[in-house]
Amino acid sequence: MNILDGIKSLALKLGSKQEQTYYARGLSLTDDLMQIEALWRDNWIANKVCIKRSEDMVRNWRDIFSNDLKSEQLDEFTKLERRLKLRETLTKALQWSSLYGSVGLLVVTDTINITSPLQPTERLKQLIILPKWKISPTGQRDDDVFSPNFGRYSEYTITGGTQSVLVHHSRLLIINANDAPLSDNDIWGVSDLEKIIDVLKRFDSASANVGDLIFESKIDIFKIAGLSDKISAGLENDVAHVISAVQSIKSATNSLLLDAENEYDRKELTFAGLKDLLTEFRNAVAGAADMPVTILFGQSVSGLASGDEDIQNYHESIHRLQETRLRPVLEVLDTLLCNELFGGQPDDWWFEFLPLTVVKQEQQVNMLNTFATAANTLIQNGVLNEYQVVNELRESGLFANISADDIEEMKNANELARNFEEPEGENTQVQAREDEQENGALV
């Protein structure tokens, strides 16, 4: 197996200067389909990098908001997502995109003409995951920098078995794991395994070597007089038989019998420092994968560190991946689903991905006390009103059961109370005007 090192030098010798070392681009792992699939089947670390992050991106899913819709309508939208198995399909799509660098999501609707642009009035039937080797750009490349399809093609040919179909670009959602360099001028992305392959090879090699050393940790050495002559005479089997018999006697009686001219010695290897070396290789893999050691390798935190900061950083990286890989797909699909259920997408439609961090009850109580104190001060100073505070409570998750209908009922109740108070105020003003007129007449 040829291993391409990313660091090369024209004269890498003792005493050579650091400036003589440079980076050179070798064979891309993303383009080596056989090696990628071998990693998927045989290497558990590569497998977990692709699966774990994809599952975490959809694990808590999202919260949908719209002031124009009732809570029952938002529940119907969630049920439609479940019927279409949207989460399961997107999990698989993100997983294969992480492995291969790119996948295509074919939006299948109730229309027959798939060469025409996707319309919001069409009804979504299913999403089909397509590998990039089944997709061929065939249309014109969009060179309009103001176009949302800039840099991609107007149409794509999808091959399946013996048939090929032509689809409009709006019906094919391409999910890239990582963008290719701009110099490549390519629509396909780069695999997540591309950045960890070098450190992963070093970690696997170091682990394999340590495993081999275990079997050689204790070596028995027999110094036999005339051994070379016996081997030259073709008596290798006899020598091996004698050594085997000597070791059998030793195992049975804990005694060693040798000729006077023969010698016996034992060499034992020590593993001092190997643990630290493997730990450094392991940390390098976790750093390249942008995953904490506790998650990637399933090991508990040692020392004085709690690991909370590493977990928080990982959750932030998952949120970044949700925004870059998942949100563009959902924005297209939401238009179709909203039109099917509500006849169109509301103007104030938005959604937020739910955080992975689980807030403990004590922390939630402290957050609520802090929020209540600050909100009370802002209301008294006229900076905020009660409705704004309630909306903020709902969006922050401190009171997740507050619905848009509850806020609307609160507004209606306050308006009704003011309506009952207004007549009394008006009568008071009318009586004051009549008193002024009477006083004027007397004067």
Side-chain angles (χ1 to χ4, degrees):
M1 179 179 63
N2 296 325
I3 298 178
L4 299 177
D5 196 348
I7 303 178
K8 296 184 178 180
S9 175
L10 296 175
L12 193 57
K13 301 178 180 179
L14 292 177
S16 61
K17 295 182 179 180
Q18 185 177 358
E19 288 77 8
Q20 292 176 313
T21 302
Y22 67 96
Y23 285 88
R25 184 172 180 177
L27 178 65
S28 173
L29 175 67
T30 306
D31 298 330
D32 193 348
L33 184 61
M34 294 182 63
Q35 187 175 184
I36 281 184
E37 294 188 346
L39 282 169
W40 175 261
R41 291 188 177 96
D42 302 333
N43 192 286
W44 69 269
I45 298 178
N47 195 281
K48 190 170 185 178
V49 168
C50 297
I51 292 179
K52 177 61 177 174
R53 294 199 298 185
S54 301
E55 291 179 345
D56 286 342
M57 289 169 63
V58 298
R59 174 152 56 92
N60 287 355
W61 202 225
R62 57 174 177 163
D63 259 348
I64 302 172
F65 305 97
S66 176
N67 294 324
D68 296 337
L69 299 176
K70 297 181 179 179
S71 58
E72 292 81 3
Q73 292 175 303
L74 296 178
D75 292 339
E76 288 296 324
F77 185 91
T78 304
K79 293 178 182 178
L80 179 58
E81 285 184 331
R82 288 198 294 266
R83 288 199 301 269
L84 294 172
K85 296 184 178 180
L86 193 59
R87 292 176 65 177
E88 294 82 351
T89 304
L90 289 178
T91 302
K92 288 294 183 182
L94 293 169
Q95 171 184 304
W96 298 127
S97 172
S98 178
L99 178 65
Y100 294 112
S102 300
V103 294
L105 269 179
L106 180 62
V107 181
V108 181
T109 64
D110 55 356
T111 186
I112 300 177
N113 185 14
I114 60 176
T115 58
S116 62
L118 180 66
Q119 300 298 325
T121 55
E122 298 180 20
R123 184 171 182 176
L124 178 64
K125 297 177 65 177
Q126 69 175 124
L127 299 173
I128 299 178
I129 303 174
L130 298 171
K132 61 182 181 181
W133 55 84
K134 290 184 176 292
I135 304 171
S136 301
T138 54
Q140 297 294 326
R141 192 154 194 170
D142 195 344
D143 295 330
D144 184 7
V145 295
F146 298 105
S147 172
N149 196 45
F150 172 70
R152 296 189 175 183
Y153 294 84
S154 60
E155 293 177 329
Y156 296 90
T157 299
I158 298 175
T159 58
T162 59
Q163 297 181 348
S164 297
V165 294
L166 191 68
V167 299
H168 192 264
H169 72 85
S170 59
R171 301 181 183 274
L172 184 66
L173 308 177
I174 297 177
I175 303 178
N176 288 336
N178 301 282
D179 292 332
L182 293 177
S183 59
D184 287 357
N185 199 24
D186 195 0
I187 64 172
W188 305 117
V190 179
S191 171
D192 281 335
L193 301 182
E194 190 84 47
K195 58 187 178 181
I196 74 169
I197 184 62
D198 291 335
V199 293
L200 185 58
K201 288 178 180 178
R202 296 188 184 100
F203 176 77
D204 287 342
S205 299
S207 300
N209 290 334
V210 171
D212 293 338
L213 286 176
I214 294 176
F215 295 99
E216 300 180 2
S217 60
K218 184 181 68 174
I219 302 175
D220 294 333
I221 301 175
F222 292 89
K223 299 179 181 180
I224 302 176
L227 177 62
S228 298
D229 296 336
K230 291 180 174 62
I231 294 176
S232 299
L235 302 177
E236 298 93 339
N237 293 334
D238 294 339
V239 173
H241 181 72
V242 171
I243 297 299
S244 179
V246 170
Q247 289 181 329
S248 298
I249 295 174
K250 177 187 174 185
S251 299
T253 65
N254 200 24
S255 301
L256 186 62
L257 302 178
L258 290 175
D259 292 334
E261 63 272 14
N262 297 332
E263 297 182 13
Y264 169 78
D265 194 7
R266 172 183 291 179
K267 297 293 185 181
E268 293 186 2
L269 299 178
T270 60
F271 296 96
L274 287 181
K275 178 182 178 181
D276 297 335
L277 183 62
L278 285 177
T279 300
E280 292 301 323
F281 280 123
R282 182 198 64 183
N283 294 340
V285 174
D290 198 14
M291 297 177 67
V293 174
T294 54
I295 293 179
L296 182 57
F297 290 91
Q299 297 183 358
S300 59
V301 180
S302 60
L304 300 178
S306 63
D308 293 341
E309 185 177 354
D310 294 337
I311 298 299
Q312 181 64 31
N313 292 336
Y314 172 70
H315 290 171
E316 291 176 359
S317 69
I318 291 297
H319 181 71
R320 174 179 56 84
L321 295 178
Q322 289 173 325
E323 294 293 334
T324 56
R325 301 183 187 182
L326 197 54
R327 180 176 287 275
V329 176
L330 293 175
E331 288 177 345
V332 174
L333 300 179
D334 284 354
T335 302
L336 300 176
L337 301 182
C338 285
N339 190 79
E340 179 179 346
L341 291 176
F342 318 127
Q345 186 171 5
D347 294 334
D348 65 341
W349 178 271
W350 82 98
F351 64 89
E352 298 293 340
F353 295 106
L354 292 173
L356 296 177
T357 304
V358 178
V359 181
K360 298 180 181 179
Q361 185 175 5
E362 296 81 5
Q363 295 175 333
Q364 190 170 8
V365 170
N366 293 333
M367 292 170 57
L368 183 58
N369 290 332
T370 304
F371 181 89
T373 303
N376 186 41
T377 303
L378 294 174
I379 292 175
Q380 290 179 354
N381 294 333
V383 179
L384 296 177
N385 56 40
E386 292 86 349
Y387 312 120
Q388 293 172 322
V389 173
V390 174
N391 273 309
E392 189 65 27
L393 274 173
R394 177 171 177 261
E395 294 182 11
S396 64
L398 293 175
F399 280 93
N401 292 328
I402 299 177
S403 64
D405 294 340
D406 296 332
I407 300 176
E408 188 65 26
E409 290 178 1
M410 178 181 175
K411 290 182 180 179
N412 294 336
N414 289 340
E415 290 178 358
L416 183 63
R418 284 196 298 269
N419 291 336
F420 279 106
E421 295 174 357
E422 285 178 358
E424 181 180 355
E426 292 178 355
N427 293 334
T428 303
Q429 294 177 359
V430 171
Q431 184 65 36
R433 286 196 297 269
E434 292 177 353
D435 293 339
E436 290 177 359
Q437 292 175 357
E438 292 178 359
N439 294 332
L442 292 175
V443 174

